[in-house]
Amino acid sequence: MNEHVRLTAWVRGRVQGVGFRWFTRAKALEIGGLSGFALNLGDGRVQVVAEGCRADCEQLLDWLRNGDTPGRVDGVTEIWDTPRGGYDSFAVR
């Protein structure tokens, strides 16, 4: 299944001020083939946008939900879409 997709995930919990975005970027780079970003939102959540093959995006989503992340993840909401492009790599915003 090499379908290219866009994953947008909103991560709730204690995920700001603990290095969560940097660890998310490191995980995306470790998985490889993903582009996008991790961004702190004003309401305390972190938004993660990742584009790449579905299997790689699912691996990142699984890590967001169940992995050894910094802080504390209380929940993740995600939507799937077609890729829009425009990202050179995976960035922290």
Side-chain angles (χ1 to χ4, degrees), residues 7-26:
L7 163 69
T8 303
W10 294 272
V11 185
R12 299 179 310 281
R14 190 172 154 263
V15 292
Q16 290 191 10
V18 294
F20 192 89
R21 293 175 299 152
W22 292 100
F23 274 85
T24 301
R25 178 181 182 271

Side-chain angles (χ1 to χ4, degrees), residues 32-76:
L34 293 176
S35 60
F37 62 88
L39 169 72
N40 281 344
L41 298 176
D43 62 5
R45 296 177 298 163
V46 170
Q47 180 182 20
V48 177
V49 174
E51 293 188 354
C53 75
R54 179 173 286 275
D56 292 341
C57 286
E58 286 175 350
Q59 186 177 350
L60 181 63
L61 180 61
D62 185 55
W63 178 83
L64 290 170
R65 285 193 168 130
N66 306 308
D68 186 20
T69 62
R72 183 192 75 247
V73 174
D74 292 335
V76 179

